[in-house]
Amino acid sequence: MFNKFYKTIHNHYSKFFKIFNFLRYLIPIFFGASILYITIPKFFDYEKKRVDIENFLLTNYQFEINNYNSIKYNIFPLPNISFENVNLIFKENSNKMKVNKVSIFLNIGSIYDKKFAAKKVVINENKLNLKIENVEFLLDFLQKIKLKLMVQNLNLDLKKDNESILKIRNINFSNYGFKKNKLK
């Protein structure tokens, strides 16, 4: 009798622990599938999507890409597409900005979609030569952008009559988050 009672209790716990035995296999499968989902786009040719990316930047950020050296897909820190050594042109004012790296962070759910979508754009290490009359345009331009934009290490050279009046280095700007609309 005691043996039967012990066996019943033991079976009750084994049913409870079967769930954990099942999860032991399910978690590595889920982790492996998510790693594959993020790394497979590394093998895609983004030269074919260049037109879609340029249209996205033109419609949402009013940037036109003039020249660039390479397009790469990066996995870390988040999935993103980066352009290196880019000449960006403002759509409204046709000022040129030389940028070392433009990172376009992708929505994880839309990595494989035909329609290009992105979460935010980060512009790193850039130089902008601007006439003193166009400073107000630049400030209005940065405030009008609705999607997330971060500008890091902007070297601004203000000119009047083709002479440099003021050089400002390492300007950081973000239109989202804790430091929203603050120049540093």
Side-chain angles (χ1 to χ4, degrees):
M1 176 94 172
F2 178 71
N3 213 3
K4 205 176 208 184
F5 181 68
Y6 176 72
K7 191 173 185 182
T8 311
I9 292 174
H10 185 64
N11 284 340
H12 177 68
Y13 285 119
S14 69
K15 288 179 186 177
F16 177 72
F17 288 119
K18 282 183 182 179
I19 295 170
F20 293 111
N21 287 335
F22 177 69
L23 288 177
R24 180 178 63 183
Y25 297 112
L26 187 63
I27 291 172
I29 290 172
F30 176 74
F31 185 70
S34 59
I35 294 293
L36 280 176
Y37 180 79
I38 292 174
T39 57
I40 287 176
K42 187 83 169 163
F43 302 108
F44 292 168
D45 183 20
Y46 282 96
E47 288 292 331
K48 294 177 183 177
K49 282 194 167 189
R50 181 184 55 86
V51 175
D52 294 335
I53 296 169
E54 287 179 355
N55 288 336
F56 174 79
L57 288 175
L58 190 62
T59 56
N60 295 316
Y61 291 97
Q62 283 75 38
F63 289 136
E64 184 178 332
I65 295 177
N66 193 9
N67 284 335
Y68 63 92
N69 282 349
S70 65
I71 299 176
K72 293 180 183 176
Y73 175 81
N74 300 318
I75 299 168
F76 296 109
L78 292 171
N80 64 59
I81 297 173
S82 64
F83 288 86
E84 293 184 2
N85 296 330
V86 181
N87 288 333
L88 290 178
I89 299 174
F90 294 106
K91 180 180 177 182
E92 297 175 9
N93 200 3
S94 70
N95 285 325
K96 290 184 181 180
M97 182 171 22
K98 294 181 182 178
V99 181
N100 281 349
K101 186 176 182 182
V102 175
S103 298
I104 304 170
F105 288 88
L106 304 173
N107 293 330
I108 292 179
S110 64
I111 291 176
Y112 294 102
D113 289 348
K114 290 186 179 184
K115 184 181 177 188
F116 185 79
K119 270 196 297 194
K120 67 180 176 179
V121 173
V122 177
I123 301 173
N124 289 330
E125 300 175 14
N126 41 28
K127 296 178 185 177
L128 179 61
N129 295 327
L130 192 65
K131 292 181 181 177
I132 196 83
E133 299 88 26
N134 294 334
V135 171
E136 186 176 342
F137 160 76
L138 180 65
L139 295 174
D140 289 339
F141 173 77
L142 291 174
Q143 290 181 351
K144 285 181 185 177
I145 295 175
K146 301 294 182 201
L147 297 178
K148 295 179 180 180
L149 174 71
M150 181 182 285
V151 179
Q152 297 176 341
N153 298 329
L154 171 66
N155 294 330
L156 183 62
D157 188 11
L158 298 176
K159 293 185 176 187
K160 185 173 184 179
D161 299 329
N162 292 330
E163 284 188 28
S164 179
I165 295 176
L166 179 65
K167 290 184 180 182
I168 305 172
R169 297 182 186 263
N170 298 331
I171 298 174
N172 294 326
F173 174 78
S174 177
N175 70 349
Y176 67 94
F178 183 69
K179 299 177 183 178
K180 182 176 182 177
N181 295 331
K182 291 184 181 179
L183 289 172
K184 180 181 175 189

